[in-house]
Amino acid sequence: MMICNRLIIDGNAVYEIDDECMRQKEQRNERRRNQGYKGGRCSMGSRPAKAVGER
């Protein structure tokens, strides 16, 4: 098992990126895209159309 981490230095802040975790996250996102998963947020085009005369 190979452990790969990257350090990102931003001013005084230091962030450690776990490559294995990022790879798993990308695989989950890819599966969701392939299954038509929506993130639970509404977008303007996702509401059902109203019938004529409804407000």
Side-chain angles (χ1 to χ4, degrees):
M1 180 169 124
M2 187 170 119
I3 298 175
C4 293
N5 290 327
R6 290 179 280 159
L7 292 178
I8 309 243
I9 301 172
D10 183 20
N12 290 336
V14 177
Y15 304 95
E16 182 179 18
I17 306 297
D18 183 351
D19 290 330
E20 179 63 26
C21 179
M22 293 299 291
R23 188 174 10 261
Q24 289 174 1
K25 182 178 178 181
E26 182 57 36
Q27 289 171 350
R28 277 193 310 269
N29 289 340
E30 184 67 27
R31 281 194 304 267
R32 287 177 177 170
R33 279 192 294 268
N34 290 340
Q35 293 174 358
Y37 176 81
K38 297 198 186 249
R41 295 184 180 206
C42 294
S43 64
M44 291 298 288
S46 65
R47 295 182 188 158
K50 293 182 179 180
V52 176
E54 270 190 20
R55 290 186 179 218

